[in-house]
Amino acid sequence: MPLLKGTSHINDRGVLTIGGVAADRLAERFGTPLFVYDEALIRERVRTFHRVLQAEGVDYDVAYACKAFCIRAMVELAQEEGLSLDVVSGGELYTAFISGFPPERIHFHGNNKSVEELELALQAGVGTIIVDNFVELERLAALIREGTCSRQGQPVNVLLRMTPGVHADTHAYISTGQEDSKFGFDLGSGQVAEAIRRVQEIPELRLTGLHMHIGSQIFSAAGYLAAVERLLGALPSLPQFSFDVLNLGGGFGIAHTEAEDAPPIETLLLDIVRGVKARFADAGYALPALWFEPGRSIVGEAGWTLYRVGSIKDLPGVRRYVAVDGGMSDNIRPALYGARYTALLANRAREAATETVTVAGKLCESGDVLIEAADLPPVRPGDLIAVPATGAYAFAMSSNYNRLPRPAVVFVRNGKARLVVRRETYADVVRFDRSLSADDEGSEDEASDDVGAFLKGEWG
Ligand SMILES: *Cc1c(COP(=O)(O)O)cnc(C)c1O
């Protein structure tokens, strides 16, 4: 069972055990569906990035792309492990602030940052803003002219996000380096050059370098290196700027099934770093600091989803549907990208697989299928199904479709389970609804209070 990564194993009762806690105990104590994270494995993944980059002797930074799994406990862990933090919205910024994450180690991304979000970032003293487009540049310049800046006299660090014009070998929905992308300044058509000129006209902004993120779930260094070659080829035609940072983005792939052959982080990272070093040396340029932004590769393999089996439907000669108590509301990836997963019968994990079943969710969509063909021992109602490698972009993309409460999240380590997100209740699900018979018209005051309070310095 190659997907038993980190501390996960099958115990002597034949039960899947993660972080020293058996899956059946977790399900009894916290209910299902349940997200379970192997905390030691998350930390090990982070340390691998540090270890490899330190050994290569490069100036570097690793920022956790928290959109993969953005909760307070994970942001705190990222801080403990010496990571910077990538955020892509006011809500992620807010999560960082309430977690006490140092603002100077926050990098702010996004292709449509609102004026309010930019204001929030400037007020908080966010370390780097990755500028995505010309409208954003105007918004930033206007805010700074109006005096919205907490670091009096200190310029704001910006990187320019460029699309180098390479196609990452991955699903179209998660490929972001091609010219025709909603993200970034296009290198080939001269937008990067123009953006550099414009930033340099704004004295309150300090351009520290360039950013690229060519996609996600990538298994080889080739795309990264092709992008760097494009950039180096274009450098002589760009205005002079101090190129202190080259941010290479995230995108390191993981295995979601036994069939996927993802290279270890060490291998991909070394291939990229050595390749980049060599290309800069060949082109005669000093190597800038190399920044990385892993999301999936930090949390993906550490996360499991535990489901309880309910109904089973047999279509003789066609298939057997095994329905679990969650589905596309806690993992939209199969429906969204055709993502593939495998499953383990967590409570009888040593029994031989004798049947191939379709693991379906409980939501009212025929497309709510988690796994088309899962090889499992004979499954009975009440069994526990565990889906590995669901730590990234599953809980983060979860919804209340069909008014299902979102699952709880636990971190397990050394035989202890800690609840880090409590399960939603029905009351949570309806908490923003207002009755037609409410006598006022309602207002948005409550929602905007968060930001108002922040701007007054409550979390500054
Ligand atoms: C999503 C994203 C990442 C993280 O991607 P992973 O594939 O999860 O590593 C990094 N940088 C940017 C700009 C992103 O949008």
Side-chain angles (χ1 to χ4, degrees):
M1 270 174 269
L3 288 181
L4 288 175
K5 301 266 167 79
T7 66
S8 55
H9 66 278
I10 311 302
N11 73 10
D12 45 21
R13 291 187 294 125
V15 177
L16 168 68
T17 298
I18 309 160
V21 191
D24 52 355
R25 305 265 192 267
L26 288 167
E28 272 160 34
R29 182 164 159 209
F30 299 103
T32 52
L34 181 68
F35 282 96
V36 182
Y37 282 80
D38 179 348
E39 191 183 324
L41 182 56
I42 301 178
R43 292 181 190 273
E44 187 189 311
R45 290 291 184 261
V46 176
R47 289 172 192 174
T48 301
F49 274 91
H50 285 307
R51 194 174 58 241
V52 170
L53 290 163
Q54 276 162 16
E56 278 301 289
V58 291
D59 191 1
Y60 77 92
D61 191 20
V62 181
Y64 169 57
C66 81
K67 73 176 195 273
F69 174 54
C70 190
I71 64 160
R72 184 173 181 155
M74 185 57 211
V75 170
E76 289 167 353
L77 187 156
Q79 185 185 345
E80 284 177 16
E81 293 293 334
L83 294 170
S84 293
L85 194 73
D86 271 14
V87 302
V88 298
S89 71
E92 288 188 354
L93 253 183
Y94 189 76
T95 309
F97 297 141
I98 61 153
S99 310
F101 201 90
E104 64 278 7
R105 278 168 45 199
I106 297 177
H107 307 164
F108 189 21
H109 276 281
N111 72 309
N112 186 17
K113 304 176 187 77
S114 68
V115 171
E116 191 185 64
E117 287 172 325
L118 286 170
E119 198 173 359
L120 204 57
L122 290 174
Q123 289 279 352
V126 155
T128 300
I129 297 182
I130 292 86
V131 175
D132 186 274
N133 56 70
F134 292 110
V135 171
E136 182 183 338
L137 213 41
E138 295 310 319
R139 285 178 175 170
L140 257 183
L143 282 171
I144 290 169
R145 276 197 303 275
E146 291 159 13
T148 308
C149 190
S150 65
R151 287 173 293 181
Q152 271 89 5
Q154 285 276 78
V156 177
N157 295 327
V158 302
L159 295 178
L160 295 175
R161 176 164 183 169
M162 51 167 250
T163 39
V166 301
H167 289 258
D169 186 14
T170 186
H171 191 286
Y173 285 12
I174 48 177
S175 174
T176 51
Q178 69 279 17
E179 290 97 358
D180 186 2
S181 162
K182 72 169 184 171
F183 299 105
F185 298 98
D186 176 38
L187 181 66
S189 62
Q191 289 184 344
V192 175
E194 179 58 21
I196 293 173
R197 274 190 287 277
R198 294 232 202 138
V199 185
Q200 289 176 335
E201 287 163 11
I202 306 168
E204 293 82 1
L205 295 182
R206 179 168 58 211
L207 177 63
T208 57
L210 299 175
H211 170 276
M212 55 173 88
H213 170 72
I214 59 171
S216 194
Q217 190 56 5
I218 299 168
F219 286 5
S220 104
Y224 296 88
L225 298 178
V228 168
E229 282 170 15
R230 289 273 173 100
L231 170 60
L232 286 170
L235 263 189
S237 67
L238 298 180
Q240 283 278 321
F241 67 104
S242 67
F243 194 179
D244 300 326
V245 172
L246 173 59
N247 188 325
L248 292 156
F252 293 62
I254 64 165
H256 299 86
T257 67
E258 292 87 347
E260 277 179 321
D261 200 12
I265 290 173
E266 290 87 331
T267 308
L268 188 48
L269 194 54
L270 268 182
D271 286 353
I272 294 173
V273 171
R274 291 185 178 161
V276 170
K277 275 183 178 171
R279 281 157 182 78
F280 269 78
D282 287 349
Y285 292 106
L287 189 71
L290 301 181
W291 289 12
F292 293 92
E293 306 175 325
R296 189 193 309 273
S297 54
I298 300 292
V299 291
E301 292 176 334
W304 291 76
T305 316
L306 285 183
Y307 300 100
R308 184 79 68 183
V309 174
S311 333
I312 295 175
K313 170 178 173 173
D314 267 316
L315 280 172
V318 182
R319 71 174 79 236
R320 167 172 287 181
Y321 284 101
V322 169
V324 297
D325 53 358
M328 67 192 294
S329 52
D330 54 73
N331 190 352
I332 189 82
R333 297 186 68 257
L336 184 63
Y337 324 123
R340 287 166 193 274
Y341 289 93
T342 55
L344 206 70
L345 196 60
N347 53 316
R348 288 183 281 117
R350 272 198 221 289
E351 278 183 30
T354 52
E355 54 187 51
T356 300
V357 301
T358 293
V359 179
K362 64 177 273 138
L363 292 104
C364 296
E365 299 281 328
S366 294
D368 178 30
V369 165
L370 288 170
I371 306 168
E372 195 70 40
D375 295 328
L376 292 172
V379 182
R380 302 189 285 263
D383 277 337
L384 281 175
I385 283 190
V387 181
T390 54
Y393 305 109
F395 182 77
M397 289 185 174
S398 63
S399 76
N400 290 123
Y401 183 46
N402 287 183
R403 293 234 128 170
L404 260 57
R406 285 188 180 78
V409 182
V410 295
F411 276 19
V412 287
R413 187 186 185 187
N414 293 336
K416 286 207 175 63
R418 260 187 305 182
L419 184 69
V420 291
V421 179
R422 81 149 164 80
R423 182 176 306 282
E424 287 182 354
T425 61
Y426 293 136
D428 290 328
V429 172
V430 300
R431 72 195 181 283
F432 303 122
D433 293 13
R434 287 173 61 88
S435 166
L436 259 187
S437 62
D439 45 11
D440 59 59
E441 288 177 8
S443 77
E444 287 295 310
D445 284 357
E446 268 178 59
S448 45
D449 268 359
D450 280 359
V451 172
F454 171 72
L455 292 179
K456 287 199 206 85
E458 192 165 319
W459 290 284

PDB file of all heavy atoms in Angstrom, residues 211-227:
ATOM      1  N   HIS A 211       8.003  37.100 -10.398  1.00  0.00           N
ATOM      2  CA  HIS A 211       7.317  35.907  -9.918  1.00  0.00           C
ATOM      3  C   HIS A 211       6.729  35.134 -11.085  1.00  0.00           C
ATOM      4  O   HIS A 211       6.238  35.725 -12.046  1.00  0.00           O
ATOM      5  CB  HIS A 211       6.177  36.324  -8.985  1.00  0.00           C
ATOM      6  CG  HIS A 211       5.258  35.174  -8.620  1.00  0.00           C
ATOM      7  ND1 HIS A 211       4.220  34.771  -9.421  1.00  0.00           N
ATOM      8  CD2 HIS A 211       5.261  34.349  -7.557  1.00  0.00           C
ATOM      9  CE1 HIS A 211       3.615  33.739  -8.859  1.00  0.00           C
ATOM     10  NE2 HIS A 211       4.219  33.457  -7.730  1.00  0.00           N
ATOM     11  N   MET A 212       6.772  33.827 -10.983  1.00  0.00           N
ATOM     12  CA  MET A 212       6.043  32.985 -11.944  1.00  0.00           C
ATOM     13  C   MET A 212       5.491  31.771 -11.201  1.00  0.00           C
ATOM     14  O   MET A 212       6.063  31.307 -10.220  1.00  0.00           O
ATOM     15  CB  MET A 212       6.965  32.534 -13.084  1.00  0.00           C
ATOM     16  CG  MET A 212       8.218  31.832 -12.619  1.00  0.00           C
ATOM     17  SD  MET A 212       9.177  31.138 -13.988  1.00  0.00           S
ATOM     18  CE  MET A 212      10.221  32.480 -14.460  1.00  0.00           C
ATOM     19  N   HIS A 213       4.346  31.317 -11.644  1.00  0.00           N
ATOM     20  CA  HIS A 213       3.753  30.091 -11.081  1.00  0.00           C
ATOM     21  C   HIS A 213       3.083  29.417 -12.267  1.00  0.00           C
ATOM     22  O   HIS A 213       2.066  29.888 -12.752  1.00  0.00           O
ATOM     23  CB  HIS A 213       2.735  30.433  -9.992  1.00  0.00           C
ATOM     24  CG  HIS A 213       1.918  29.252  -9.531  1.00  0.00           C
ATOM     25  ND1 HIS A 213       2.448  28.239  -8.766  1.00  0.00           N
ATOM     26  CD2 HIS A 213       0.620  28.925  -9.736  1.00  0.00           C
ATOM     27  CE1 HIS A 213       1.491  27.344  -8.524  1.00  0.00           C
ATOM     28  NE2 HIS A 213       0.379  27.726  -9.101  1.00  0.00           N
ATOM     29  N   ILE A 214       3.709  28.346 -12.762  1.00  0.00           N
ATOM     30  CA  ILE A 214       3.270  27.827 -14.060  1.00  0.00           C
ATOM     31  C   ILE A 214       2.121  26.835 -13.957  1.00  0.00           C
ATOM     32  O   ILE A 214       1.552  26.452 -14.966  1.00  0.00           O
ATOM     33  CB  ILE A 214       4.446  27.205 -14.851  1.00  0.00           C
ATOM     34  CG1 ILE A 214       5.087  26.070 -14.056  1.00  0.00           C
ATOM     35  CG2 ILE A 214       5.478  28.276 -15.207  1.00  0.00           C
ATOM     36  CD1 ILE A 214       6.107  25.273 -14.876  1.00  0.00           C
ATOM     37  N   GLY A 215       1.780  26.416 -12.744  1.00  0.00           N
ATOM     38  CA  GLY A 215       0.670  25.477 -12.618  1.00  0.00           C
ATOM     39  C   GLY A 215       0.815  24.630 -11.380  1.00  0.00           C
ATOM     40  O   GLY A 215       1.674  24.897 -10.531  1.00  0.00           O
ATOM     41  N   SER A 216      -0.025  23.613 -11.287  1.00  0.00           N
ATOM     42  CA  SER A 216      -0.039  22.780 -10.093  1.00  0.00           C
ATOM     43  C   SER A 216      -0.009  21.311 -10.494  1.00  0.00           C
ATOM     44  O   SER A 216      -0.349  20.962 -11.615  1.00  0.00           O
ATOM     45  CB  SER A 216      -1.308  23.077  -9.306  1.00  0.00           C
ATOM     46  OG  SER A 216      -1.227  22.545  -8.009  1.00  0.00           O
ATOM     47  N   GLN A 217       0.399  20.481  -9.541  1.00  0.00           N
ATOM     48  CA  GLN A 217       0.438  19.030  -9.745  1.00  0.00           C
ATOM     49  C   GLN A 217       1.421  18.699 -10.896  1.00  0.00           C
ATOM     50  O   GLN A 217       1.116  17.940 -11.816  1.00  0.00           O
ATOM     51  CB  GLN A 217      -0.990  18.503  -9.982  1.00  0.00           C
ATOM     52  CG  GLN A 217      -1.192  17.000  -9.986  1.00  0.00           C
ATOM     53  CD  GLN A 217      -0.712  16.309  -8.704  1.00  0.00           C
ATOM     54  OE1 GLN A 217      -0.293  16.928  -7.744  1.00  0.00           O
ATOM     55  NE2 GLN A 217      -0.720  15.005  -8.693  1.00  0.00           N
ATOM     56  N   ILE A 218       2.624  19.290 -10.816  1.00  0.00           N
ATOM     57  CA  ILE A 218       3.662  19.124 -11.831  1.00  0.00           C
ATOM     58  C   ILE A 218       4.709  18.124 -11.322  1.00  0.00           C
ATOM     59  O   ILE A 218       5.071  18.157 -10.147  1.00  0.00           O
ATOM     60  CB  ILE A 218       4.311  20.501 -12.138  1.00  0.00           C
ATOM     61  CG1 ILE A 218       3.238  21.448 -12.673  1.00  0.00           C
ATOM     62  CG2 ILE A 218       5.477  20.370 -13.105  1.00  0.00           C
ATOM     63  CD1 ILE A 218       3.682  22.882 -12.738  1.00  0.00           C
ATOM     64  N   PHE A 219       5.159  17.247 -12.203  1.00  0.00           N
ATOM     65  CA  PHE A 219       6.052  16.159 -11.788  1.00  0.00           C
ATOM     66  C   PHE A 219       7.492  16.313 -12.269  1.00  0.00           C
ATOM     67  O   PHE A 219       8.327  15.487 -11.949  1.00  0.00           O
ATOM     68  CB  PHE A 219       5.521  14.803 -12.294  1.00  0.00           C
ATOM     69  CG  PHE A 219       4.318  14.286 -11.543  1.00  0.00           C
ATOM     70  CD1 PHE A 219       3.708  15.047 -10.561  1.00  0.00           C
ATOM     71  CD2 PHE A 219       3.813  13.024 -11.810  1.00  0.00           C
ATOM     72  CE1 PHE A 219       2.606  14.570  -9.853  1.00  0.00           C
ATOM     73  CE2 PHE A 219       2.712  12.528 -11.112  1.00  0.00           C
ATOM     74  CZ  PHE A 219       2.108  13.302 -10.141  1.00  0.00           C
ATOM     75  N   SER A 220       7.774  17.324 -13.091  1.00  0.00           N
ATOM     76  CA  SER A 220       9.155  17.435 -13.561  1.00  0.00           C
ATOM     77  C   SER A 220       9.602  18.890 -13.625  1.00  0.00           C
ATOM     78  O   SER A 220       8.771  19.812 -13.682  1.00  0.00           O
ATOM     79  CB  SER A 220       9.297  16.788 -14.944  1.00  0.00           C
ATOM     80  OG  SER A 220       9.383  17.777 -15.947  1.00  0.00           O
ATOM     81  N   ALA A 221      10.924  19.075 -13.618  1.00  0.00           N
ATOM     82  CA  ALA A 221      11.492  20.421 -13.584  1.00  0.00           C
ATOM     83  C   ALA A 221      11.414  21.114 -14.948  1.00  0.00           C
ATOM     84  O   ALA A 221      11.637  22.330 -15.047  1.00  0.00           O
ATOM     85  CB  ALA A 221      12.952  20.342 -13.129  1.00  0.00           C
ATOM     86  N   ALA A 222      11.083  20.363 -15.989  1.00  0.00           N
ATOM     87  CA  ALA A 222      11.209  20.903 -17.352  1.00  0.00           C
ATOM     88  C   ALA A 222      10.453  22.223 -17.551  1.00  0.00           C
ATOM     89  O   ALA A 222      10.989  23.172 -18.128  1.00  0.00           O
ATOM     90  CB  ALA A 222      10.731  19.857 -18.363  1.00  0.00           C
ATOM     91  N   GLY A 223       9.220  22.278 -17.092  1.00  0.00           N
ATOM     92  CA  GLY A 223       8.410  23.487 -17.281  1.00  0.00           C
ATOM     93  C   GLY A 223       9.000  24.688 -16.561  1.00  0.00           C
ATOM     94  O   GLY A 223       9.024  25.808 -17.095  1.00  0.00           O
ATOM     95  N   TYR A 224       9.477  24.471 -15.336  1.00  0.00           N
ATOM     96  CA  TYR A 224      10.083  25.560 -14.570  1.00  0.00           C
ATOM     97  C   TYR A 224      11.314  26.090 -15.312  1.00  0.00           C
ATOM     98  O   TYR A 224      11.529  27.292 -15.420  1.00  0.00           O
ATOM     99  CB  TYR A 224      10.526  25.081 -13.187  1.00  0.00           C
ATOM    100  CG  TYR A 224       9.409  24.621 -12.269  1.00  0.00           C
ATOM    101  CD1 TYR A 224       8.954  23.302 -12.287  1.00  0.00           C
ATOM    102  CD2 TYR A 224       8.825  25.508 -11.372  1.00  0.00           C
ATOM    103  CE1 TYR A 224       7.945  22.878 -11.431  1.00  0.00           C
ATOM    104  CE2 TYR A 224       7.814  25.096 -10.508  1.00  0.00           C
ATOM    105  CZ  TYR A 224       7.381  23.772 -10.547  1.00  0.00           C
ATOM    106  OH  TYR A 224       6.380  23.349  -9.709  1.00  0.00           O
ATOM    107  N   LEU A 225      12.117  25.147 -15.816  1.00  0.00           N
ATOM    108  CA  LEU A 225      13.369  25.551 -16.454  1.00  0.00           C
ATOM    109  C   LEU A 225      13.107  26.209 -17.809  1.00  0.00           C
ATOM    110  O   LEU A 225      13.798  27.173 -18.180  1.00  0.00           O
ATOM    111  CB  LEU A 225      14.311  24.349 -16.581  1.00  0.00           C
ATOM    112  CG  LEU A 225      14.714  23.755 -15.220  1.00  0.00           C
ATOM    113  CD1 LEU A 225      15.602  22.532 -15.393  1.00  0.00           C
ATOM    114  CD2 LEU A 225      15.401  24.801 -14.335  1.00  0.00           C
ATOM    115  N   ALA A 226      12.097  25.723 -18.512  1.00  0.00           N
ATOM    116  CA  ALA A 226      11.745  26.376 -19.780  1.00  0.00           C
ATOM    117  C   ALA A 226      11.311  27.822 -19.510  1.00  0.00           C
ATOM    118  O   ALA A 226      11.656  28.746 -20.247  1.00  0.00           O
ATOM    119  CB  ALA A 226      10.622  25.599 -20.475  1.00  0.00           C
ATOM    120  N   ALA A 227      10.571  28.009 -18.425  1.00  0.00           N
ATOM    121  CA  ALA A 227      10.117  29.356 -18.067  1.00  0.00           C
ATOM    122  C   ALA A 227      11.301  30.256 -17.733  1.00  0.00           C
ATOM    123  O   ALA A 227      11.359  31.424 -18.148  1.00  0.00           O
ATOM    124  CB  ALA A 227       9.149  29.288 -16.891  1.00  0.00           C
TER     125      ALA A 227
END
